[in-house]
Amino acid sequence: MASVLEIQDLHVSYRSREGAAFPALAGVSFGLMPSEIMGVLGESGSGKSTLAAALLRLLPGNGNITRGAVHFEGRDLLQAKPEELRQIRGRRISLIFQEPSLALHPTMRAGEQVRQVLAAHGSQGKSALNERTHQVFAEIFREEADRISRSYPHQLSGGQRQRVLIAQAIACGPSIVIADEPTASLDPATQMELSECFESSGKGWGSR
Ligand SMILES: Nc1ncnc2c1ncn2[C@@H]1O[C@H](COP(=O)(O)OP(=O)(O)O)[C@@H](O)[C@H]1O
Ligand SMILES: [Mg+2]
């Protein structure tokens, strides 16, 4: 079976304001098979977030991939054009960030935030959009789905907000979900609840 994601000898460095290059990743290689869950362990500052950003070409302006290759479903992501990358991000590979309050729009209802992800990635028609949004919320929030969907982020707990991000991440049925320490800002009980939510949605790899 072919891997969905293949990373070979990836090197990333950040340039300081003075122009010095700081190596953040040096020779990362791995392959991810379909349905496989992979965890990346490492102390704070070891490069976990850098890896997630690099493979989606989302590094900040001073971050550079200096060597290596990233292939997703056979395509070379380091050579991909901006439009091709836009099609892949969010739809084929989605990313859940560490801090839900920074990733959600504060004045938009949770349901609308998921609908917009679907709309941005080509789902057509009001009823199809509403139906898929409802389906995703039902999968993640069960009997609370409608209430959560109508809520604004400030009306939700940290765990519920993080699960809205999971809803966004799985909405388009991606091949890969990257979760960058998605439970780090939550208390232990909510962390457990969220891990169960991940298991039941059945995909992804975490760096917890
Ligand atoms: N924008 C940046 N500019 C310069 N250095 C950075 C930047 N982002 C991260 N780094 C450095 O790269 C290293 C890896 O950081 P990061 O990927 O955030 O680690 P982790 O996610 O494992 O905590 C750290 O030493 C960090 O200071
Ligand atoms: Mg990090």
Side-chain angles (χ1 to χ4, degrees):
M1 208 182 343
S3 50
V4 235
L5 183 70
E6 191 74 46
I7 310 270
Q8 284 158 341
D9 196 30
L10 193 65
H11 285 67
V12 172
S13 64
Y14 290 105
R15 219 183 329 274
S16 72
R17 221 170 278 182
E18 296 75 37
F22 167 80
L25 295 182
V28 176
S29 303
F30 64 87
L32 189 71
M33 303 300 280
S35 304
E36 189 177 15
I37 296 176
M38 188 185 119
V40 177
L41 298 179
E43 63 191 26
S44 180
S46 59
K48 305 179 296 295
S49 298
T50 299
L51 173 61
L55 66 89
L56 281 171
R57 302 257 309 274
L58 287 172
L59 287 168
N62 65 331
N64 290 300
I65 297 172
T66 53
R67 205 159 102 191
V70 177
H71 284 90
F72 169 66
E73 292 179 343
R75 272 179 291 190
D76 182 349
L77 291 194
L78 301 190
Q79 303 302 325
K81 297 196 172 64
E83 179 53 28
E84 200 180 342
L85 282 171
R86 212 186 61 78
Q87 293 294 320
I88 292 171
R89 290 181 196 134
R91 178 151 77 175
R92 308 297 302 132
I93 305 178
S94 57
L95 183 55
I96 303 170
F97 293 97
Q98 180 167 347
E99 188 42 75
S101 45
L102 297 179
L104 288 172
H105 195 294
T107 65
M108 204 187 284
R109 293 179 201 270
E112 183 57 25
Q113 307 207 32
V114 172
R115 255 169 57 96
Q116 291 207 350
V117 170
L118 288 163
H121 288 292
S123 290
Q124 311 255 292
K126 203 173 166 200
S127 64
L129 277 175
N130 287 343
E131 197 180 316
R132 177 64 187 146
T133 305
H134 182 78
Q135 212 177 23
V136 174
F137 272 82
E139 188 180 325
I140 292 184
F141 292 103
R142 312 278 167 197
E143 58 279 2
E144 285 190 305
D146 288 336
R147 183 176 69 84
I148 306 279
S149 171
R150 284 195 305 270
S151 300
Y152 291 96
H154 74 271
Q155 298 170 322
L156 300 173
S157 70
Q160 288 166 338
R161 281 199 288 261
Q162 196 54 286
R163 279 188 284 166
V164 174
L165 293 191
I166 298 177
Q168 283 184 323
I170 66 168
C172 296
S175 292
I176 300 173
V177 176
I178 301 172
D180 186 10
E181 299 200 63
T183 60
S185 61
L186 304 171
D187 62 81
T190 317
Q191 289 186 358
M192 287 270 287
E193 190 185 305
L194 214 71
S195 304
E196 282 156 21
C197 179
F198 268 117
E199 269 164 42
S200 65
S201 63
K203 325 183 157 165
W205 54 283
S207 58
R208 201 152 58 87

